[in-house]
Amino acid sequence: MSLRGTDLRRADVCNADLSRADLRGANLSGGDLKGTALRGAELRDADLGGADLSSADLSGANLTNAFLGEAKLRGANLSGATLVRTELPDADLRRAKLSGAEGLDPEEIRLAVGTSETQLPEGVDRPEHWIVPNGDLRA
């Protein structure tokens, strides 16, 4: 399915199956994508800023050059995703699974929000300022 370059700002596609969809350059900013299946989707250069991707399955997705600023990724599965030059300022990665993700910039992780429950790829250190599960800030 090709939705390349489509403007889907603030769209409600909750629980949709967009696995392997071509969403290159699509604008999904502010959209409701909770529980959406985006396994293996092509999201290069996509704008997902402020989108709610809670519990979404982005495993194996290509998010190269994607913007995920202020996106809600709580409990999302990004294992095996390609995150080269992906921007994550203030993205909520609490309980997200990023194990096996490729190309994740440690500086972008530092700009995101996470907890000790966030699963990071091997070799990527958890930022000291991330909050712990009970909500207290780390010292």
Side-chain angles (χ1 to χ4, degrees):
M1 169 188 337
S2 180
L3 296 169
R4 190 175 188 172
T6 303
D7 186 351
L8 296 168
R9 276 179 287 197
R10 293 181 281 293
D12 182 351
V13 289
C14 243
N15 299 309
D17 187 355
L18 297 174
S19 297
R20 293 177 293 287
D22 183 354
L23 291 154
R24 281 179 281 183
N27 186 345
L28 295 153
S29 60
D32 188 351
L33 293 105
K34 287 188 291 278
T36 299
L38 289 156
R39 289 179 301 277
E42 186 57 64
L43 289 155
R44 254 181 304 167
D45 302 311
D47 183 352
L48 293 151
D52 190 345
L53 292 147
S54 301
S55 301
D57 185 355
L58 293 139
S59 57
N62 184 351
L63 290 147
T64 299
N65 284 332
F67 180 73
L68 288 152
E70 297 182 12
K72 294 174 188 79
L73 291 150
R74 284 186 184 197
N77 182 3
L78 291 114
S79 53
T82 302
L83 302 169
V84 176
R85 294 181 307 277
T86 302
E87 296 180 58
L88 298 166
D90 296 315
D92 185 347
L93 298 174
R94 289 179 261 193
R95 295 185 321 279
K97 296 176 184 129
L98 290 108
S99 51
E102 299 176 10
L104 187 59
D105 184 344
E107 180 61 25
E108 288 301 324
I109 280 294
R110 200 178 68 68
L111 297 174
V113 176
T115 68
S116 58
E117 294 176 312
T118 304
Q119 296 175 22
L120 294 172
E122 192 172 313
V124 176
D125 294 327
R126 187 171 321 284
E128 289 294 319
H129 66 276
W130 276 12
I131 58 174
V132 293
N134 68 5
D136 296 331
L137 290 175
R138 284 194 165 182

